[in-house]
Amino acid sequence: MQKLILFLITAFFYQISFCQTEKKAIPNFEKKQLLAKKISSSISIDGILDEAEWKDAQVATDFAMFEPDNGKPLNDKKKTEVKVLYTNEALYIGATLNDDEPNKIMREITQRDDDGSADFFGVSINGYNDGQQEFRFFVTAAGVQLDANANSLSGEDFSWNAIWDSHVNITDKGWNVEIKLPYSALRFANKPSQLWGLQFFRQIRRYRQLFTWNYVDNKKGALEQQSGELSGLENIQTPTRLFFFPYISTYINQNKKDGTKAQFKGGMDIKYGINDAFTLDAILIPDFGQTAFDNKILNLGPFEQQFNENRPFFTEGTELFNKADLFYSRRIGGRPNFSPSVGNDEKITENPSAVNLINALKISGRTQKGLGIGVLNAVTEKTEATITNTKTGEIRKAVVQPLTNYNITVFDQRFNKNSSVSFINTNVTRNHIFRDGNVSAFAFDLNTKKNTWNLGGDIKYSYINSHGDAKDKNGINSSIRFGETSGKIRFNTETKIVTKEFDNNDLGINFRTNYYSTYGNINLRSLKSTNKLNSYRINFNLYNEFELTTDKIQNGNININGHITTKKNDNMGMGLNFRPYDIYDFYQARSAGRYFILPNNYSAWYYISTNYNRKLAVDFNPYAATTNEKGRNEYGFNLSPRYRFSNKLLFVLGYEYSKENNSKGFYKKTSSDIIFEQRDVNTSSLFLNTKYAINNTMTINLNTRYYWSYVEHKQYEALQLDGMLAPTNFNEDGSQDFSAWNLDCSYSWWIAPGSQLNVLYRNNSSNSYEGLTGIDKNFGQNFNNLFGDKLNHTFSISLRYFLDFNRVKNWL
């Protein structure tokens, strides 16, 4: 088996090296500039550029390929021409995208912010022309909108949503796009004459080719630093930027325990443009009842499960607040932080699983000199558990989360169009009853003028003000990195140190402390397509982590991996991980100063993702790992076929399986020992995602997930002071079984820009068992046990409407 894996890896990298003769490069292009034309009348957004104002506008053309064949000019048969007009209200973009095979234009209809299998046209605007942050707007050939906040560090954030208008028109010569971008969707300085960064994109999906108007040299720095420019914007008198988003929603919840309950909600969100650069967003009465469900798992590790953020307020426009990785928004309105004390004759009869958010606001923007300022503040309500005396029946309340204020403040100064320094502070105040947390950080990201080298890092300081007998504590988390960011061969290296008392978990998330680490990477990549491949990349990584007090190595890995994209646009890759030495795990034992020795580890993985342009496509990812302990290994795979029946209907099915044999991990503490368990862990997860698009504003989505994980107990051992395990007399039934089911069926209708109607039916259930003598491995029985009386049902309707203050003022 090992020889077979070695042979496959060798053959894979040989194929890459054999195919890496690249096509001849073309010379760099000069930075382009487009003149915008001011008009006095508005344009009808219908995808037909027939207004007289379009005729005399300057044309942006001569697009060049960004990938896969960087720099290759766009074929004349696919010629693209773009024009820009503007008024005091908005920017207008009109694009003519020629295609000599219009019947082959791909036009899958998807939800917003998903291009699916479709051609698209896009525009990217940087109102400060500083080469760092852009607002991007895309329209697919099916008329679906995508928008993103993009920067060179974190890439494109499609959770950001703006309110704008667009329309496409398919012709016998290709397709046309018209876009209206209100200035409220942009950020720019308040000055008479504007010069903005500008880039246009065109994707021809059937070839998987992406073109840009201003040539982007992939040997250099980030895409944001190679945009063209938009001139001619003079004396823009923007209207008041004040928008209201009133909403109403109703919920009907039903389960066997609580019966049927109905709930009605109403509230409003507000967006106010303080000026052309700064915006205030506020939630007056929050409603997050229709956010996506969390994929809960059986967690046997020492750390909490980290969940994705699904609430729009905490995902949209939060790029500033994510500096230095201090902000984990799920802390706000999450589970209560504290557990109540219970007497001998008492039990908790009601314990809330979440804390209600009272309100939240954020202010963000950037000055003319490049200083970004962001403030986010949220308040959650006092939350209590109910405790009942089992003898007297007396009921009392205990606070599990006091009235709490969460705040994050950021100052981010940009300079040289590619560098920045930032100061970040997070603060959590819990009504001066429970512990308070304060964390400050200084971060920097510096690039050379030609974007060939990067130096970055941060230093974070945390202070926890504990109450009662608990001790106050403070700690430091600091890192520095350096690397080459241009050319075919690139490298980067990083070193980091985290002290034992560092704690940012009041408004952030951090699992490991009291260590120092080193990391290095060197990689070879293609800059242009080759005769046999569209792209390839080979990486070599080395990581080591040492416990700070004892200098014992607590983590490490040697990794080599490679990735290719074939001429048919199929993606595949494989990799090997080596850890030819034991490590000391200081977290598994859940006791300060104690550690558990983990044996050396070797693993391999492979993946293939076939071209999604085909009606039938497949993702497949098998992996396997082994150790020097006999019988201790792990293997699994992910398999996900998808079938696109039409541009409207798509099915994606997925199955994940993993098996851990003779795994060893923490079980419990007794009065005298730390007990570890030897066990087998089996995990399966099955999901089905279905999308039916009625048109480009209406979609029906069905998402289901079934998860089952069970632990088969083998034997118990006691952890020794030297980190080894020894036999013990401890004995109890230790098998576990956890399963979960979720279903979301939703109808979404974008009634108008910014206005949306959502109808949702949801059901969910879960079963969790511990201390079992054995496991019932009957798949059908386990699945059926999640239904019937176990199910929680929710039906909800929500309407959110967009109101522009200027339009309301005219109505009145």
Side-chain angles (χ1 to χ4, degrees):
M1 182 64 179
Q2 292 177 334
K3 291 182 178 180
L4 176 61
I5 292 175
L6 183 60
F7 170 76
L8 291 174
I9 293 288
T10 304
F12 179 81
F13 289 113
Y14 175 77
Q15 181 183 9
I16 293 177
S17 62
F18 179 74
C19 298
Q20 63 176 309
T21 304
E22 296 185 349
K23 297 177 182 178
K24 185 178 179 180
I26 67 171
N28 290 345
F29 297 151
E30 298 293 332
K31 181 181 286 289
K32 296 179 180 178
Q33 190 172 103
L34 180 67
L35 181 69
K37 176 185 175 183
K38 189 167 188 177
I39 59 175
S40 56
S41 59
S42 60
I43 298 294
S44 175
I45 304 302
D46 55 11
I48 304 173
L49 283 67
D50 56 355
E51 290 89 352
E53 287 84 352
W54 289 116
K55 294 180 179 178
D56 298 328
Q58 189 174 345
V59 179
T61 188
D62 297 330
F63 280 55
M65 193 182 298
F66 174 61
E67 57 185 14
D69 198 4
N70 187 244
K72 183 178 180 180
L74 179 59
N75 191 304
D76 286 340
K77 294 180 180 180
K78 306 292 189 299
K79 187 174 182 179
T80 302
E81 296 183 336
V82 189
K83 300 178 180 181
V84 176
L85 310 175
Y86 74 100
T87 65
N88 281 329
E89 178 190 5
L91 205 67
Y92 295 88
I93 297 102
T96 301
L97 302 103
N98 291 292
D99 195 317
D100 57 322
E101 298 176 300
N103 59 313
K104 293 185 179 180
I105 296 172
M106 300 193 69
R107 293 184 284 165
E108 183 187 1
I109 306 174
T110 60
Q111 294 187 90
R112 181 173 175 144
D113 289 331
D114 180 5
D115 63 333
S117 295
D119 287 29
F120 68 66
F121 169 80
V123 56
S124 188
I125 294 176
N126 183 336
Y128 297 94
N129 198 23
D130 61 2
Q132 296 199 43
Q133 185 178 23
E134 299 179 343
F135 296 98
R136 293 180 182 164
F137 308 87
F138 302 90
V139 185
T140 73
V144 178
Q145 291 185 348
L146 302 85
D147 41 20
N149 186 338
N151 66 80
S152 56
L153 285 180
S154 56
E156 293 178 325
D157 175 14
F158 281 97
S159 67
W160 177 82
N161 287 314
I163 297 167
W164 49 291
D165 198 7
S166 63
H167 203 281
V168 303
N169 181 39
I170 305 295
T171 71
D172 58 356
K173 295 182 180 179
W175 58 296
N176 299 330
V177 186
E178 274 187 312
I179 298 174
K180 178 183 178 180
L181 295 179
Y183 295 124
S184 59
L186 308 173
R187 301 290 181 273
F188 52 91
N190 183 13
K191 56 184 181 181
S193 181
Q194 305 278 342
L195 183 64
W196 294 353
L198 177 70
Q199 184 67 278
F200 297 120
F201 302 91
R202 180 181 180 181
Q203 175 179 265
I204 302 178
R205 176 72 187 196
R206 63 185 183 272
Y207 304 136
R208 288 292 187 97
Q209 293 175 342
L210 180 63
F211 296 85
T212 61
W213 167 60
N214 199 79
Y215 171 55
V216 177
D217 187 346
N218 61 6
K219 295 190 298 295
K220 296 184 178 179
L223 187 149
E224 292 81 3
Q225 294 149 13
Q226 300 186 60
S227 294
E229 293 177 334
L230 181 66
S231 63
L233 304 168
E234 303 289 342
N235 300 312
I236 298 175
Q237 304 297 321
T238 57
T240 301
R241 294 195 297 130
L242 176 59
F243 310 109
F244 304 97
F245 300 87
Y247 76 86
I248 55 173
S249 58
T250 182
Y251 295 85
I252 300 174
N253 300 290
Q254 190 275 332
N255 59 46
K256 184 177 180 181
K257 178 182 177 182
D258 300 321
T260 302
K261 296 181 180 180
Q263 184 180 23
F264 178 83
K265 292 184 178 181
M268 183 184 296
D269 299 346
I270 294 176
K271 183 184 289 286
Y272 174 60
I274 300 171
N275 54 35
D276 292 330
F278 285 85
T279 300
L280 179 148
D281 295 272
I283 303 177
L284 299 185
I285 304 176
D287 179 20
F288 300 125
Q290 292 192 335
T291 54
F293 54 77
D294 291 325
N295 291 331
K296 294 183 179 179
I297 63 172
L298 176 63
N299 185 5
L300 299 174
F303 308 119
E304 65 178 299
Q305 183 182 353
Q306 184 172 355
F307 295 107
N308 294 327
E309 179 59 84
N310 298 314
R311 298 169 295 178
F313 179 85
F314 294 107
T315 61
E316 296 176 0
T318 56
E319 176 265 337
L320 268 177
F321 304 109
N322 291 322
K323 296 282 184 178
D325 295 324
L326 289 183
F327 184 41
Y328 177 48
S329 57
R330 289 297 296 263
R331 296 291 185 213
I332 303 173
R335 297 186 65 86
N337 292 94
F338 309 99
S339 300
S341 299
V342 180
N344 292 331
D345 299 322
E346 292 182 323
K347 68 176 182 178
I348 300 173
T349 52
E350 184 178 349
N351 194 12
S353 60
V355 178
N356 290 329
L357 178 65
I358 298 175
N359 58 52
L361 65 84
K362 58 188 176 189
I363 299 173
S364 61
R366 195 168 294 276
T367 68
Q368 185 175 342
K369 294 185 178 180
L371 176 62
I373 302 174
V375 178
L376 186 150
N377 200 85
V379 181
T380 58
E381 69 179 14
K382 178 182 177 181
T383 305
E384 296 176 321
T386 302
I387 300 173
T388 304
N389 189 299
T390 55
K391 289 186 176 181
T392 65
E394 181 182 356
I395 296 175
R396 68 181 178 91
K397 299 286 187 179
V399 176
V400 291
Q401 182 74 32
L403 180 72
T404 305
N405 187 82
Y406 299 86
N407 181 273
I408 178 168
T409 302
V410 182
F411 297 93
D412 176 57
Q413 179 64 58
R414 294 177 179 166
F415 54 94
N416 294 343
K417 293 192 175 185
N418 63 4
S419 301
S420 65
V421 293
S422 309
F423 173 79
I424 309 97
N425 176 265
T426 67
N427 181 275
V428 178
T429 305
R430 295 187 174 90
N431 205 24
H432 304 292
I433 298 175
F434 296 82
R435 84 175 211 170
D436 300 329
N438 190 84
V439 183
S440 296
F442 170 77
F444 60 95
D445 181 60
L446 309 177
N447 294 277
T448 57
K449 185 176 181 180
K450 294 183 178 180
N451 294 306
T452 53
W453 300 91
N454 171 265
L455 176 68
D458 55 48
I459 182 168
K460 310 168 191 176
Y461 172 78
S462 68
Y463 175 73
I464 304 300
N465 179 19
S466 301
H467 292 271
D469 297 329
K471 180 184 176 183
D472 294 351
K473 60 180 183 178
N474 55 72
I476 290 175
N477 180 335
S478 183
S479 66
I480 188 168
R481 65 181 184 274
F482 174 72
E484 185 178 9
T485 55
S486 65
K488 289 181 61 175
I489 300 177
R490 306 183 189 187
F491 78 92
N492 64 84
T493 182
E494 181 179 27
T495 185
K496 186 174 186 178
I497 184 170
V498 184
T499 64
K500 185 176 183 179
E501 301 295 317
F502 179 79
D503 187 350
N504 69 324
N505 286 303
D506 293 277
L507 194 49
I509 188 165
N510 184 65
F511 297 141
R512 308 169 77 90
T513 60
N514 199 39
Y515 73 88
Y516 61 94
S517 65
T518 59
Y519 168 77
N521 164 272
I522 186 168
N523 61 82
L524 169 69
R525 67 185 68 193
S526 62
L527 300 178
K528 297 182 183 296
S529 63
T530 70
N531 293 329
K532 296 184 179 295
L533 299 174
N534 275 341
S535 66
Y536 64 85
R537 178 166 173 165
I538 303 173
N539 299 287
F540 177 78
N541 304 286
L542 177 64
Y543 179 75
N544 284 299
E545 182 177 302
F546 301 87
E547 205 262 349
L548 194 57
T549 305
T550 63
D551 289 328
K552 293 181 181 296
I553 187 166
Q554 67 177 24
N555 202 0
N557 187 43
I558 302 169
N559 167 263
I560 183 169
N561 62 80
H563 312 264
I564 63 173
T565 301
T566 70
K567 285 295 186 178
K568 293 184 177 180
N569 290 304
D570 297 315
N571 295 289
M572 60 187 71
M574 59 176 59
L576 288 174
N577 297 304
F578 305 90
R579 199 188 68 230
Y581 45 82
D582 296 345
I583 61 172
Y584 299 79
D585 187 338
F586 283 84
Y587 305 97
Q588 187 67 240
R590 276 82 153 174
S591 296
R594 299 296 298 275
Y595 56 82
F596 169 55
I597 296 179
L598 288 171
N600 54 39
N601 184 283
Y602 305 90
S603 62
W605 52 264
Y606 170 81
Y607 77 87
I608 182 169
S609 179
T610 62
N611 189 352
Y612 287 3
N613 285 356
R614 304 183 189 118
K615 285 185 175 293
L616 175 64
V618 177
D619 294 298
F620 180 56
N621 172 210
Y623 66 92
T626 188
T627 70
N628 62 348
E629 291 186 8
K630 185 177 180 180
R632 186 172 180 178
N633 53 60
E634 178 182 358
Y635 58 87
F637 66 88
N638 304 328
L639 176 64
S640 180
R642 57 175 57 214
Y643 191 80
R644 190 175 71 254
F645 290 87
S646 68
N647 284 332
K648 293 185 175 183
L649 183 61
L650 174 69
F651 278 80
V652 182
L653 180 67
Y655 179 67
E656 301 177 8
Y657 175 77
S658 66
K659 175 70 180 292
E660 298 177 42
N661 293 310
N662 296 304
S663 170
K664 296 181 180 180
F666 174 86
Y667 182 72
K668 71 187 306 182
K669 292 181 184 178
T670 67
S671 58
S672 58
D673 286 318
I674 299 175
I675 304 300
F676 271 58
E677 179 185 38
Q678 182 176 330
R679 57 208 179 194
D680 291 346
V681 183
N682 291 264
T683 303
S684 296
S685 180
L686 179 68
F687 71 85
L688 172 65
N689 296 334
T690 305
K691 174 226 55 177
Y692 178 72
I694 300 171
N695 54 42
N696 59 21
T697 61
M698 291 186 192
T699 55
I700 298 173
N701 294 276
L702 175 65
N703 299 317
T704 64
R705 174 182 181 260
Y706 166 64
Y707 174 89
W708 184 20
S709 184
Y710 60 86
V711 176
E712 294 183 281
H713 166 73
K714 288 194 168 182
Q715 68 176 11
Y716 293 114
E717 296 175 288
L719 182 66
Q720 306 300 295
L721 292 176
D722 62 358
M724 303 299 289
L725 299 176
T728 178
N729 293 325
F730 176 85
N731 188 37
E732 68 179 37
D733 296 328
S735 295
Q736 301 180 56
D737 189 313
F738 174 77
S739 55
W741 164 263
N742 298 92
L743 179 147
D744 272 13
C745 182
S746 64
Y747 164 78
S748 177
W749 177 22
W750 287 94
I751 303 169
S755 301
Q756 188 177 21
L757 173 69
N758 283 302
V759 181
L760 171 69
Y761 168 70
R762 167 178 293 166
N763 66 46
N764 67 282
S765 67
S766 64
N767 289 319
S768 182
Y769 306 100
E770 297 181 359
L772 302 174
T773 56
I775 299 294
D776 183 355
K777 301 179 183 179
N778 187 308
F779 177 87
Q781 186 64 42
N782 180 274
F783 186 76
N784 289 333
N785 287 342
L786 290 165
F787 294 89
D789 295 340
K790 291 282 187 178
L791 281 176
N792 303 296
H793 303 269
T794 300
F795 178 78
S796 62
I797 301 175
S798 178
L799 174 64
R800 185 173 185 259
Y801 199 77
F802 166 65
L803 293 173
D804 185 338
F805 167 78
N806 300 286
R807 185 173 298 177
V808 173
K809 182 175 65 174
N810 292 334
W811 291 346
L812 297 176

